[in-house]
Every structure is written in C-alpha cells, then in structure tokens.
Amino acid sequence: MAVTTTLTEEILELKQQRKAILLAHHYQEPEIQELADVVGDSLELARKAQQVEGEVIAFCGVWFMAETAKILNPTRIVVVPDKDAGCSLVDNCPVEKVRAFKQRYPDYVLVSYINTSAAVKAESDVICTSRNAVDVVNSIPAEQPVLFLPDLNLGNYVKQKTGRANMRIWQGACFVHATFPARRLVKARSEFPNALVAAHPECPADVLAMADFVGSTSAIIDWCVNHPAKEFIIVTESGVQHTLRKRAPEKLYHFVANEQCNCSECPYMKMNTLEKLRDCLRDLAPRVELPAELMDRARKPIERMLALR
Ligand code: 13P
Ligand code: SF4
C-alpha cells in the first residue's frame, strides 16, 4: 500500500513537471482512471486530445488511440505506458489490403472505425467510433456505396440501423467482444430476471438482439446511471464498472464472461500499469512518432467525423 502511494505521488509530481495531461479509456485499471484528467470513450478522448494545451499527453489506452491523439495535436509529445498495447481490430486490417480494395473499387466511400492504424486512417474518407458510427454512415449520400471497416459486428449493426443495402463490411473482429456468447447472456438473464442488458456494438448480432441498449462505453455508463432500473447485465469490458460504481453505487452490475479469456477484460488495455505510466512520464518514452505527411492525410477523415457533431 505504501509503495502504491509513493508511486501515485511520483506520477502526480512528474505530471506537473512535464506539464502533462493524462487521458484514460474506461477500460483502464481503476488506479489509472483515478489519476487521469479525463476518462472517456474513444470519441471523447479524441476530442479532448485535440484541445490539450499542455506539452505532453500521457495516453492510457491502446496504441491506435494514442496515434489518434498525436494526429489531432501533432505538436504535443504523446507518450504511452506500453507501446505493445495493441488491438485485434487493427491487426485484422493491414493497410495493403485496404489499398488493394480501393484500387479494385474506386467508387466506394471508406468508413473506418477509429480502431485502425494511422496508415489505414490515411486511406479513409471518414472515421467513426462506436458512438457515432450510425450517424457517420447516415451522413453519406444514399447512392454512394460504402465499405465499412474493420469491425464486422459493428458494421452489421450499422447496416441494420441505417437500412443501407449498398454497404460492404470488412471481416475483422474484436477478440474480446466477438467472443461474448449469446448462451451466457441467456443464462445471466435467467439468473438476474430484473436486470436490463447493455452491450457494446462490437458484440455479435445475437447478443445485440437481446440488449435493451447498445452503445459506446460512455453511452453504456450514462444509460445505466440515468435509467430508473436498479440492476444491469453489462456486455463489454469490465473496466466500465469503476465509473458505474462511482456514479451509481446503489445499483447492481453483472458482467458476462467471454470465451476468449473466460473474463471480460481486454488484455491489451490491461498491459498499462502505474509503474509503466510513471516510467513513460519520466523518460518521455515510448512516444508516438509518425511522419508529418501521414498525419496530415490521416487527420482529414478524423476531422470530418469530429465536424459532424
Ligand atoms: P469505445 O468507442 O466505446 O470507447 O470503444 C473502443 C473500444 O476499443 C471498444 O472495444
Ligand atoms: Fe481492441 Fe477489443 Fe481491446 Fe477494444 S476491447 S481495444 S476493440 S481488442
């Protein structure tokens, strides 16, 4: 305990010395969320990163989120606790394949989920997050064919919500959310018959079909906090419980385990620790560094999304 207190103090001191802002995703460990200036979903963190005036952004999330922060605010130093904190969706979508698709189908509008590499963003027409994907696709003229990448479950959800027939969907998946099985949700519903279900749109269609609410991490939190119901089954990464328990401690939250780890944790998100956070603030490394030309190209589709509101 005394060690943790010292570490926390060290981080706060380094944060001040470095004029750093600490941004954390909802899937981070509670002790990291507690130190953060802002905790949010991927859209909120991108918006925040764009506005940061401090010299350093310490990004506690995964690599593509830190890349997005750097692209949106290129004169800041962006550091991460662990550069190997990746994302299975990014891995499922190599830029060479995206370029090959574009060459074959030049008339398609490319809508890329924010969970993509900077190189894929640079090839895209517009970016979306789990919070605004339906609005982003709806903003594209109906006659234009769309390629949605890389998340198959989010893509199918958006296709269903928008009723858009001319939409092709990449076959990528989040190995945390795509492995939440419907049968475990059925079991949870029979164990907790009074609970409402909130799920992230990266979950399979049969899980989403059983959900009372589908939304981004922050949207799930807001919905549970503001809903008059007292009990919820949550189908997303269990990091969201920290804010849920702070904002509505009187309510009950049950988490469904997936088949990939028999848990509901993203192993990449959980690679970040207080020790690594202290080290990245001290060493100003690992640092996100990207060619200026790549950032200029990747920024345009992100800004197109941010302009949509
Ligand atoms: P949010 O857009 O809800 O932050 O989700 C990002 C993510 O990686 C979900 O797995
Ligand atoms: Fe990527 Fe899934 Fe982890 Fe989110 S939960 S960062 S989509 S691997």
Side-chain angles (χ1 to χ4, degrees), residues 4-295:
T4 306
T5 310
T6 311
L7 194 50
T8 301
E9 283 168 2
E10 245 185 292
I11 291 169
L12 290 174
E13 210 177 294
L14 279 163
K15 210 169 139 274
Q16 218 175 13
Q17 276 174 23
R18 296 297 193 195
K19 297 189 178 59
I21 295 294
L22 175 47
L23 304 182
H25 189 266
H26 286 297
Y27 295 166
Q28 291 298 285
E29 297 285 10
E31 60 269 26
I32 292 181
Q33 294 194 35
E34 281 300 304
L35 286 177
D37 296 289
V38 178
V39 180
D41 66 13
S42 53
L43 181 63
E44 291 165 333
L45 294 175
R47 285 198 194 284
K48 191 67 209 175
Q50 197 179 29
Q51 296 155 5
V52 165
E53 285 176 0
E55 288 168 16
V56 173
I57 298 173
F59 205 113
C60 296
V62 289
W63 182 257
F64 77 80
M65 295 180 178
E67 273 189 340
T68 305
K70 179 71 184 174
I71 292 165
L72 286 170
N73 209 337
T75 59
R76 307 291 169 245
I77 292 170
V78 179
V79 292
V80 296
D82 192 320
K83 69 174 174 28
D84 294 326
C87 171
S88 65
L89 283 166
V90 175
D91 298 341
N92 291 161
C93 194
V95 70
E96 301 73 30
K97 285 198 175 163
V98 177
R99 287 194 190 119
F101 180 94
K102 279 179 68 168
Q103 266 191 341
R104 215 159 147 209
Y105 302 104
D107 53 331
Y108 271 69
V109 176
L110 251 62
V111 180
S112 296
Y113 193 26
I114 199 163
N115 298 39
T116 44
S117 66
V120 169
K121 287 186 177 77
E123 298 293 334
S124 305
D125 293 300
V126 62
I127 304 302
C128 70
T129 76
S130 59
R131 185 183 269 253
N132 61 16
V134 171
D135 294 338
V136 167
V137 171
N138 271 334
S139 74
I140 297 162
E143 65 281 5
Q144 284 192 271
V146 166
L147 172 68
F148 186 93
L149 60 84
D151 190 82
L152 153 79
N153 291 323
L154 177 62
N156 281 328
Y157 175 74
V158 170
K159 189 169 181 169
Q160 181 212 327
K161 285 281 165 197
T162 58
R164 201 173 179 116
N166 56 353
M167 184 170 149
R168 288 171 80 134
I169 301 166
W170 200 266
Q171 298 296 296
C174 158
F175 70 160
V176 179
H177 289 85
T179 59
F180 283 121
R183 64 181 164 72
R184 288 194 179 168
L185 178 55
V186 169
K187 188 161 175 278
R189 284 209 310 189
S190 70
E191 276 174 49
F192 312 109
N194 297 323
L196 296 182
V197 178
H200 196 280
E202 291 171 9
C203 294
D206 51 2
V207 167
L208 298 182
M210 279 187 272
D212 298 290
F213 179 77
V214 175
S216 75
T217 50
S218 289
I220 288 175
I221 292 168
D222 289 341
W223 184 77
C224 294
V225 169
N226 296 324
H227 200 285
K230 293 281 177 261
E231 196 174 355
F232 300 90
I233 298 166
I234 314 280
V235 203
T236 190
E237 218 269 3
S238 54
V240 297
Q241 67 189 310
H242 184 62
T243 304
L244 281 169
R245 297 210 158 102
K246 268 170 84 168
R247 288 181 57 193
E250 73 290 359
K251 297 191 179 188
L252 286 176
Y253 309 103
H254 310 287
F255 284 81
V256 174
N258 68 21
E259 284 186 311
Q260 120 78 21
C261 62
N262 242 340
C263 69
S264 42
E265 291 196 339
C266 171
Y268 290 125
M269 287 279 183
K270 281 358 191 208
M271 287 170 83
N272 297 329
T273 62
L274 284 184
E275 284 80 2
K276 292 180 195 174
L277 173 57
R278 185 261 326 268
D279 294 352
C280 81
L281 282 165
R282 184 193 60 209
D283 306 339
L284 291 183
R287 203 185 277 207
V288 180
E289 275 164 322
L290 295 165
E293 173 275 333
L294 174 67
M295 288 199 282

